[in-house]
Amino acid sequence: MTTWHKRDWEQFYELHGARGGVTAASAVYPTGINRVLPAQGFSLSELDDAGVDLDLAERLGLPVDAGRIGAYGPNVTVLRDFIRSSRQPL
């Protein structure tokens, strides 16, 4: 089979979700009023505030940027939600 049919795409999106099966959370940092940019990874403070150690972050494939300092609240929330969803059985 060389091309996918409509049902094949439907099954793909059911399995991988609308975002293409993103497996790790993404970090951002504020750059101004109502503006954020993607970060290289989560800071150590954000991981600590979310209750994630470096070993768990590595096992889950979370990007870590040791050069970033401080914690951005929305990143901590994203981490907590990601950890909560990763512990639920599929």
Side-chain angles (χ1 to χ4, degrees), residues 54-86:
L54 286 175
D55 293 332
L56 179 60
E58 183 179 332
R59 279 187 273 135
L60 293 174
L62 294 172
V64 177
D65 184 5
R68 282 186 57 225
I69 56 173
Y72 184 51
N75 284 344
V76 176
T77 304
V78 166
L79 277 171
R80 286 180 182 154
D81 291 343
F82 181 75
I83 297 300
R84 190 177 302 119
S85 68
S86 67

Side-chain angles (χ1 to χ4, degrees), residues 3-90:
T3 60
W4 283 19
H5 297 288
K6 182 178 179 180
R7 183 65 192 142
D8 297 328
W9 285 109
E10 289 172 355
Q11 288 176 343
F12 174 81
Y13 284 116
E14 286 173 7
L15 290 173
H16 298 286
R19 296 191 61 199
V22 175
T23 57
S26 300
V28 294
Y29 65 94
T31 60
I33 297 174
N34 295 330
R35 183 180 167 126
V36 294
L37 290 175
Q40 293 291 327
F42 294 100
S43 70
L44 298 176
S45 299
E46 291 167 346
L47 291 174
D48 188 44
D49 290 350
V52 178
D53 61 352
L54 286 175
D55 293 332
L56 179 60
E58 183 179 332
R59 279 187 273 135
L60 293 174
L62 294 172
V64 177
D65 184 5
R68 282 186 57 225
I69 56 173
Y72 184 51
N75 284 344
V76 176
T77 304
V78 166
L79 277 171
R80 286 180 182 154
D81 291 343
F82 181 75
I83 297 300
R84 190 177 302 119
S85 68
S86 67
R87 290 183 181 167
Q88 294 176 353
L90 295 175

